[in-house]
Amino acid sequence: MRAIRHGFGAFVSVAVLLTGIAVAAEVRAAPAPAEELPVTAPATEEPENFGASCRTVVQGSTVTAHCQNPYPRTDRVRLHIECEHWWDIDSDSAPVEVGPADYGTITGRCWKEVRSAWITHQPADQAPAPTPVRGS
């Protein structure tokens, strides 16, 4: 009986020793973490801060957008209005250029209720997007 205990203890000791060696070998084989980050990251063009800050106010069937441009590039803004009723014509305003440190106001309306209104922005150095033709 005593010989079995010693044999089992030896077996467990060898198993623990082999497991430790295997773990140590894997730790040594793992790639080392990067010591330091590259000094210069690859050159990626970050988008320039752009776009006037606009807020819309809906009063009855009239929508007014107030835009203020804090950036150095001129922003071309347009007001888009979607009317509630199917027979009421949705509208898109003409582009209004809001220069650097400038302020602009755009107004539009529906015959009855307004469903939604939003502003789109475009850099002024780009050609204006064509106005979508509704119903064609």
Side-chain angles (χ1 to χ4, degrees):
M1 183 85 159
R2 196 170 208 177
I4 294 176
R5 280 193 210 151
H6 287 295
F8 182 74
F11 176 76
V12 171
S13 297
V14 170
V16 169
L17 180 65
L18 290 176
T19 304
I21 290 171
V23 169
E26 287 205 25
V27 168
R28 259 188 248 133
E35 294 294 324
E36 42 186 85
L37 296 173
V39 176
T40 57
T44 59
E45 253 186 69
E46 293 183 22
E48 180 183 351
N49 287 335
F50 167 76
S53 172
C54 298
R55 64 183 177 87
T56 56
V57 177
V58 179
Q59 293 178 330
S61 62
T62 303
V63 179
T64 304
H66 304 279
C67 298
Q68 193 252 338
N69 186 5
Y71 299 111
R73 286 180 66 187
T74 300
D75 186 12
R76 184 178 289 132
V77 295
R78 295 179 72 180
L79 173 64
H80 306 276
I81 302 172
E82 184 176 348
C83 300
E84 182 65 37
H85 299 288
W86 65 269
W87 46 263
D88 206 347
I89 299 173
D90 298 343
S91 64
D92 300 317
S93 75
V96 173
E97 292 191 359
V98 182
D102 200 4
Y103 180 82
T105 302
I106 310 170
T107 303
R109 62 172 307 216
C110 293
W111 283 101
K112 289 281 192 174
E113 295 88 21
V114 174
R115 176 178 293 169
S116 63
W118 65 94
I119 300 290
T120 55
H121 303 266
Q122 181 180 24
D125 55 355
Q126 293 180 357
T131 303
V133 178
R134 299 191 187 269
S136 59

